[in-house]
Amino acid sequence: MDKIPLPKLIDELKILVVDNQGLIHDIIKSALTELGVKQVSSAQNAFHAVRLCQQDQFDVVLLSFNVSSDKDGFHLFEELKHNQYISDKTTVIFLSAETSMELVNCIIELQPDDFWVKPLDRNRIQQRFNYLINIRRKLHKVMHSMDNGDFAAAIYHAERGLKDPGVTEYHPRLKRMIGDCLIQLRDFAAAERYFYQLKQECDHAWVHIGLVRALFKQDKLEDAEILIEDLLQRNDTRFLTYDLLAQYYIGKEQFDVAYEQVKAASKLAPRNIERNKKLWDLARLNRDKFGQLAAVQNMAKFAKNSIHDSPELGLNVIRTMIDLAATVSGAESEKLQRQVNKEMVNLTRGDVVEPTLANKMLIVKARMASLQNDKRAAEKLLKENLQTGLTMNLEDNLDLMKAYHELGMKEDCLAILDTLRAQLAGDTLASQVVDEYLKREEIERREIKFTTKELKEMATVNYRENRIIPAFNNLCQALTLSPHDKSIALSLLKVLVQINKSDPLTDTQHDVALNAVEMLSRAPLPPNQLQKRNEYMTALGLNEVQLDVAPE
């Protein structure tokens, strides 16, 4: 077994305090100096903090969540961790005067060592600091083993620590480490037994979450559900439980259920970019265009001034607005198009636009031309100006595929699908979701040549000209592309009423009617749409049909 280095003494520790209030620096430095700390550095903004971290490696970082002059503590923490200025060996303490559940959930996600609420008290600072430094000192063998991925050795050292009366106050921490190690070792049956035993002794959130995680890993969903109902009622476990549920259902390819869980988790902790990306993927997989737009707008909003910030996020907002504008019609579509034009101006503001971004914007302009029924201009943009030699990521190719589809260029569209599949790497949850999305896209792009908006317009013309069956077919394809569109479902019922006047509905048409009514029964409807739905149901004899609709 490798020799484990001894932890630093208190007078050897290097401390960094990041806060925009001078008084906070004075209180902390004074309190720590009394404990024997000799090296305390101060930064009043994120820029200065990064400069100090470039020059020195700190053992303890006290970080205010509200460093508002350039970027907040959440973004700064991510940047310091990304650049390896903060490691698993660094003690991180968050400072904040705010204690809202949303902020606490965001901080929990970052997994700092402690969270101190302002205003700070000298005695409290010294008490908590001593506690945290003693964790590093007294549990250093366990922590060293975990940092190096030797989880079996970590369990050995932790179990020895549980027999040591000198570290009794750290026994809960040691027990949590043992549970984490069992999960890391994939010994889920042992982890289940371990957490069940702990559950009889204490009521810590991490015990319940660890038990549910172990049960999920063994597909013991029924056992987990017994616990989940209670955990969703608790403030300290609700957020983590939604996250676990989402991961489980994505793994089982139940993407509709997973989507609801990720939405709930995102509301409780909205700043996490990776979760918003997952939310975006699940929204488009579930054909929720409004959900897609909300997710990308959140990503752009919360990534500002962070390591995630890039023109790509603004571009994705534009792309998603176009997707939605191609689904809705009338004033709603026109409003979205105006927003797109405004966002395009903001994104390309400046003297020089980088070539790759210019190429991506070209595709956006082509899609906007198609949306405005200027197909000739759209096709000219792509054929004469698109630079195919430039590197294009997965989202770029998705957008190009949509541009080709909107122009009816089927072969080009399907060729891009092959490129997209090749770009998916690994078996991550994100790639699993996107792969499933592409499979559905391929089926629809092969079978359906038009956008939702075009299909709705075609259905309107066909219905007006008394071509009822073509109108029905148009609307069926439109609902395939936009399965949550209430106006399409209502139009389908209206067309089916006309068909039923001439001939009884076929089994397929009857099923379409039932699906439309069920979708409309799940969605809140304004009075006029509710009246129409009921009239159509009566005309089709569906009032007595028992629908599989969840209670509201």
Side-chain angles (χ1 to χ4, degrees), residues 86-310:
I86 286 177
S87 71
D88 292 332
K89 295 178 175 63
T90 312
T91 297
V92 179
I93 303 162
F94 262 101
L95 314 172
S96 179
E98 187 185 338
T99 56
S100 68
M101 209 61 228
E102 178 185 303
L103 180 136
V104 170
N105 286 331
C106 289
I107 289 176
I108 287 171
E109 277 205 279
L110 299 177
Q111 297 184 321
D113 295 270
D114 211 355
F115 176 38
W116 296 356
V117 179
K118 299 177 184 177
L120 301 179
D121 172 77
R122 177 189 298 267
N123 292 333
R124 179 71 174 160
I125 290 171
Q126 293 177 341
Q127 179 190 355
R128 292 304 301 168
F129 187 83
N130 269 329
Y131 177 82
L132 293 168
I133 295 308
N134 282 332
I135 286 176
R136 294 279 177 186
R137 180 179 296 121
K138 296 182 178 181
L139 309 186
H140 73 282
K141 290 183 179 179
V142 184
M143 300 178 84
H144 177 83
S145 299
M146 290 184 74
D147 290 344
N148 287 282
D150 192 347
F151 301 109
I155 291 174
Y156 167 78
H157 289 303
E159 287 177 339
R160 288 192 64 182
L162 290 175
K163 297 173 184 175
D164 181 358
V167 293
T168 302
E169 64 176 317
Y170 303 109
H171 282 187
R173 179 69 68 110
L174 287 168
K175 290 175 181 177
R176 181 172 184 171
M177 290 172 165
I178 291 172
D180 290 343
C181 288
L182 289 171
I183 295 289
Q184 290 290 340
L185 290 168
R186 305 187 67 80
D187 193 347
F188 303 124
E192 177 192 350
R193 292 191 298 271
Y194 179 76
F195 284 118
Y196 259 126
Q197 182 183 342
L198 281 181
K199 189 167 169 283
Q200 312 309 313
E201 303 172 12
C202 59
D203 192 42
H204 296 309
W206 59 266
V207 176
H208 296 274
I209 294 298
L211 178 54
V212 170
R213 182 178 282 115
L215 291 169
F216 274 157
K217 291 294 187 181
Q218 299 173 87
D219 279 331
K220 293 185 176 181
L221 183 59
E222 289 185 9
D223 292 339
E225 283 177 339
I226 296 170
L227 302 167
I228 284 167
E229 189 173 342
D230 288 333
L231 297 186
L232 290 176
Q233 302 304 315
R234 292 176 48 159
N235 284 337
D236 60 342
T237 54
R238 185 182 300 122
F239 160 65
L240 295 170
T241 303
Y242 280 129
D243 240 16
L244 278 180
L245 285 165
Q247 291 171 30
Y248 176 80
Y249 285 116
I250 289 174
K252 295 300 173 186
E253 298 186 7
Q254 292 178 249
F255 299 114
D256 55 339
V257 184
Y259 181 39
E260 296 305 315
Q261 309 306 323
V262 176
K263 276 199 286 189
S266 293
K267 285 180 182 176
L268 294 172
R271 303 174 66 96
N272 186 295
I273 299 298
E274 287 306 313
R275 184 180 296 104
N276 277 307
K277 175 67 169 69
K278 191 185 296 181
L279 187 63
W280 181 28
D281 287 336
L282 287 167
R284 54 186 171 188
L285 183 58
N286 284 281
R287 297 293 185 263
D288 182 359
K289 296 286 197 301
F290 289 96
Q292 291 173 46
L293 182 55
V296 294
Q297 285 176 329
N298 263 353
M299 287 167 67
K301 173 184 173 183
F302 290 117
K304 274 211 176 310
N305 299 321
S306 79
I307 56 171
H308 307 287
D309 201 357
S310 77

Side-chain angles (χ1 to χ4, degrees), residues 397-422 438-449:
N397 279 317
L398 260 178
D399 211 38
L400 182 57
M401 178 196 74
K402 291 171 186 173
Y404 284 142
H405 179 260
E406 287 153 4
L407 286 168
M409 300 168 68
K410 188 175 180 180
E411 289 185 9
D412 296 280
C413 175
L414 295 176
I416 293 290
L417 271 167
D418 293 334
T419 303
L420 285 165
R421 193 156 288 111
L438 289 179
K439 286 176 187 174
R440 295 190 189 183
E441 282 287 306
E442 182 165 15
I443 293 168
E444 291 171 8
R445 300 298 174 185
R446 286 185 188 280
E447 296 177 358
I448 302 173
K449 297 179 180 179

